[in-house]
Amino acid sequence: MATSEAAPTSPQDWLDQHGDVLYRYAYFRLRDSAQAEDLVQETLLAAWQARQRFSGRSTERTWLIGILKNKLVDYFRKHREQPLGDIADTDAEVDALFENDADQHWRISPMDWANPTQALQQKQFWKVFTACIDALPPRQAQVFSLCELDELDNDEACKVLGVAPTNLWVMLHRARLRLRQCLETSWFGHEGGR
Amino acid sequence: MLTCKQASEIISQSYDRRLSWRERLSLRLHLLICDACTNFAKHMRFLRQAARRFVQGQAEADEQVRLSAEAVARIKQELARQQKR
C-alpha cells in the first residue's frame, strides 16, 4: 500500500470533511436528495479505491469533486431522458430571425439594451429568465442547462447527449438566439427593463 | 464577408470553443460595420453573465442544504461494509 505522508484516513473522514460540499454540488444539479446522497457515497467509494492515484497536486476536495463530476456525467447519461426529440435539421423560428436571401440580415435588428446588468439585481428579471429557458424546445433547454448551468464542458456534454461537438454548437446557437429574443421581447423591450 | 447569420453563429461559438484567427478577423470586420451584430455580441456576453449569476444565486440559496444525520450514518455504514470486502 502506498503510504502518502498526509494519510487521510478513511472515506468516513472524507465524508465528515467534504460530505456537505459534495452533496450540495450533486443536489444542485439533480434536485433529488436521495440520488445526490447515492452519488456522494459512490464518489467516496470510487475515491477510496483510487486513493493511490491522488497526486496531491490538487486539494483533496477538488479531487473529490472531479470524481463526483464524472459520476454525474455517467448519471445524466444513463438517466436523463434520452436526447429529447431528434436534432432537427432546421429550427423554423430561428431561421425566421434572418432574411432569407444571400445577405441573411436580421429581420429585426437586436436592440441596444442600454444597461442590462441592472436587470441581474431584480427579482422579476429572474422570473423572466427562467420562463425563457422553460419556453425553449425541450432539447435546446436540455443542452443549454447542461452547458451553461451545470457547467459541463463540451466533451462531457457531448458524452451525455451522444452528439458531436458541431451538433452541440448548433443547438447552443439556436438556444441562445431564442433566449435573446425572449429576453428582448419580455424584458428589455418593455418598461420593466428600464 | 460574413452574413449576419454566420456572424451570430461565430459569436455564439466563441463561448464554446477557440475561434481560428481567420474567424476572429472576419468577425471583427463584420462587427465594424454592423450595429445589429454588435448588439447581439453584447447580449451573448450578458447571457453568459446571467447564467453564471443564476447558478451562483442557486448555490447561495442552497447554502443550507446539507446531508442529514441519517444520510451520513447510512453512508458511513455502507463505506465500512465495502471496505471490508
Side-chain angles (χ1 to χ4, degrees), chain B residues 13-75:
Chain B
Q13 288 181 20
S14 72
Y15 289 91
D16 308 318
R17 64 176 176 90
R18 256 191 100 72
L19 300 180
S20 69
W21 68 266
R22 194 183 284 273
E23 286 169 320
R24 284 202 299 274
L25 181 67
S26 50
L27 181 59
R28 196 166 304 171
L29 289 175
H30 183 90
L31 292 179
L32 274 178
I33 56 159
C34 182
D35 289 342
C37 286
T38 303
N39 285 340
F40 178 80
K42 287 184 194 155
H43 299 167
M44 290 302 101
R45 202 177 315 144
F46 172 76
L47 198 57
R48 172 57 66 92
Q49 204 183 350
R52 291 271 181 277
R53 190 68 71 85
F54 180 74
V55 171
Q56 200 188 327
Q58 285 286 352
E60 279 160 21
D62 288 350
E63 199 65 2
Q64 300 312 314
V65 171
R66 54 188 61 226
L67 282 165
S68 64
E70 300 87 75
V72 170
R74 187 156 34 77
I75 294 174

Side-chain angles (χ1 to χ4, degrees), chain A residues 12 16 20 23-24 28 31 37 41 95 103-104 106 110-111 113 148 151 169 173 176 180, chain B residues 3-5 8-9 12 16-17 37 39 43 48 50 52 58 62 65-67 74 76 78 83:
Chain A
Q12 285 87 340
D16 289 332
D20 285 335
Y23 175 70
R24 223 170 276 145
F28 173 65
R31 293 282 145 200
E37 287 166 12
Q41 181 178 310
D95 287 343
D103 290 340
Q104 298 182 309
W106 297 90
M111 311 176 352
W113 287 358
E148 296 284 346
E151 294 172 320
W169 299 331
H173 177 233
R176 288 168 181 146
R180 194 211 72 79
Chain B
T3 68
C4 290
K5 193 176 188 185
S8 77
E9 281 164 12
S12 172
D16 308 318
R17 64 176 176 90
C37 286
N39 285 340
H43 299 167
R48 172 57 66 92
R52 291 271 181 277
Q58 285 286 352
D62 288 350
V65 171
R66 54 188 61 226
L67 282 165
R74 187 156 34 77
K76 278 193 176 167
E78 184 60 22
Q83 266 174 281

Side-chain angles (χ1 to χ4, degrees), chain A residues 87 139-140 143 167-176:
Chain A
I87 308 170
R139 193 171 163 97
Q140 285 177 25
V143 172
N167 286 329
L168 188 76
W169 299 331
V170 169
M171 306 283 282
L172 282 167
H173 177 233
R174 289 176 184 166
R176 288 168 181 146

Side-chain angles (χ1 to χ4, degrees), chain A:
Chain A
M1 179 166 163
T3 46
S4 69
E5 319 51 70
T9 89
S10 72
Q12 285 87 340
D13 290 341
W14 283 337
L15 184 65
D16 289 332
Q17 289 161 28
H18 311 296
D20 285 335
V21 171
L22 295 172
Y23 175 70
R24 223 170 276 145
Y25 190 96
Y27 180 78
F28 173 65
R29 288 162 176 82
L30 297 170
R31 293 282 145 200
D32 178 324
S33 51
Q35 297 296 354
E37 287 166 12
D38 282 354
L39 281 191
V40 171
Q41 181 178 310
E42 276 181 42
T43 298
L44 293 177
L45 278 173
W48 186 248
Q49 276 150 17
R51 64 191 178 281
Q52 270 112 332
R53 269 182 274 146
F54 174 59
S55 62
R57 244 180 303 157
S58 56
T59 65
E60 222 168 52
R61 179 171 288 183
T62 311
W63 180 63
L64 291 171
I65 287 179
I67 295 172
L68 173 59
K69 216 172 163 196
N70 284 331
K71 296 276 168 205
L72 265 167
V73 170
D74 287 345
Y75 179 86
F76 282 149
R77 219 155 35 142
K78 268 188 247 147
H79 297 271
R80 248 197 204 179
E81 311 86 282
Q82 271 324 291
L84 302 154
D86 37 47
I87 308 170
D89 293 322
T90 56
D91 179 333
E93 201 168 307
V94 163
D95 287 343
L97 296 173
F98 299 94
E99 297 288 354
N100 195 11
D101 57 15
D103 290 340
Q104 298 182 309
H105 278 302
W106 297 90
R107 280 228 163 94
I108 301 171
S109 295
M111 311 176 352
D112 181 359
W113 287 358
N115 200 352
T117 46
Q118 274 178 358
L120 302 175
Q121 316 298 334
Q122 288 170 259
K123 254 208 179 108
Q124 194 55 33
F125 170 77
W126 295 109
K127 288 206 181 122
V128 171
F129 184 76
T130 37
C132 285
I133 292 177
D134 290 343
L136 291 172
R139 193 171 163 97
Q140 285 177 25
Q142 187 186 27
V143 172
F144 186 82
S145 69
L146 281 174
C147 294
E148 296 284 346
L149 307 180
D150 298 333
E151 294 172 320
L152 298 194
D153 64 30
N154 267 223
D155 286 352
E156 293 165 336
C158 286
K159 243 202 262 164
V160 170
L161 298 161
V163 301
T166 44
N167 286 329
L168 188 76
W169 299 331
V170 169
M171 306 283 282
L172 282 167
H173 177 233
R174 289 176 184 166
R176 288 168 181 146
L177 280 168
R178 279 175 180 258
L179 281 175
R180 194 211 72 79
Q181 190 61 49
C182 180
L183 291 177
E184 187 156 296
T185 313
S186 323
W187 183 265
F188 292 105
H190 277 282
E191 309 297 290
R194 298 294 116 123

